[in-house]
Amino acid sequence: MNITALFLVNLLFAILWMLLWGSFDLYTLAAGFVLGYLMLALVSPATPQGKAYTAKVLKLLSFTGYFFKILIQSNLQVAREVITPGFSMSPRFIRFPVAGLTDFQLTSFANTISLTPGTLSVDVSPDGSSLYVHCMYAKDPKQATDDLQSLLDRMRKEFFA
């Protein structure tokens, strides 16, 4: 079985778990997914695909935790801007190099940027080598570029791998 098939089996276990409990909510689905993952981890650790699947799920969980961390930080930053008097924003457009990304990777990266408050993916250059990003808090363009690079590196390592 390849990794996609193992994921679909895991999802099937999660849906069966929801049907078994008669509860159709996110928590029951998550519990079923975790139990299905544990069953697959116990059944298929000897196969290379089983090892790859368990590693992939752990990497995705790691990226999800990282993304929630930056999502909470940016929400707090925007909330602080809203409730405090004055104007502490430093808006700027950043031209970020994205050469070498596939269409799926570029779309995923751009959407991840746009999901965080304070940043917005605006456009891709005609040759596809750059992504234009609007940042509300980019006093230092180098720091903003480094933050975007850090996000892309984590996505390459944990999401796209």
Side-chain angles (χ1 to χ4, degrees):
M1 260 194 213
N2 64 15
I3 292 177
T4 305
L6 287 171
F7 174 75
L8 292 175
V9 168
N10 197 355
L11 197 57
L12 178 66
F13 283 149
I15 292 169
L16 288 174
W17 182 257
M18 286 175 40
L19 291 171
L20 179 69
W21 282 97
S23 176
F24 303 100
D25 58 13
L26 185 61
Y27 301 111
T28 310
L29 179 68
F33 192 84
V34 168
L35 289 173
Y37 172 76
L38 292 174
M39 286 179 15
L40 288 172
L42 289 174
V43 171
S44 63
T47 66
Q49 294 86 0
K51 287 180 184 177
Y53 178 69
T54 54
K56 179 73 170 172
V57 170
L58 291 176
K59 285 180 180 181
L60 284 174
L61 288 174
S62 173
F63 179 74
T64 301
Y66 170 75
F67 179 70
F68 279 140
K69 178 185 149 202
I70 62 173
L71 184 67
I72 290 168
Q73 287 173 342
S74 60
N75 271 299
L76 291 173
Q77 188 177 29
V78 171
R80 184 174 47 245
E81 181 71 37
V82 169
I83 62 174
T84 58
F87 185 81
S88 64
M89 292 185 284
S90 316
R92 130 179 6 244
F93 283 97
I94 304 287
R95 185 172 158 220
F96 187 76
V98 291
L101 293 180
T102 65
D103 289 343
F104 172 75
Q105 292 171 338
L106 180 58
T107 303
S108 299
F109 180 57
N111 287 335
T112 303
I113 289 170
S114 294
L115 280 173
T116 56
T119 55
L120 179 67
S121 301
V122 179
D123 197 8
V124 179
S125 64
D127 63 353
S129 65
S130 299
L131 177 67
Y132 297 102
V133 180
H134 181 266
C135 301
M136 281 177 47
Y137 302 96
K139 223 175 248 188
D140 180 14
K142 170 104 172 78
Q143 181 62 43
T145 303
D146 289 346
D147 291 344
L148 291 172
Q149 187 62 51
S150 174
L151 176 62
L152 181 59
D153 291 343
R154 289 288 295 253
M155 285 186 83
R156 280 186 174 143
K157 185 174 87 175
E158 298 170 354
F159 185 70
F160 299 143

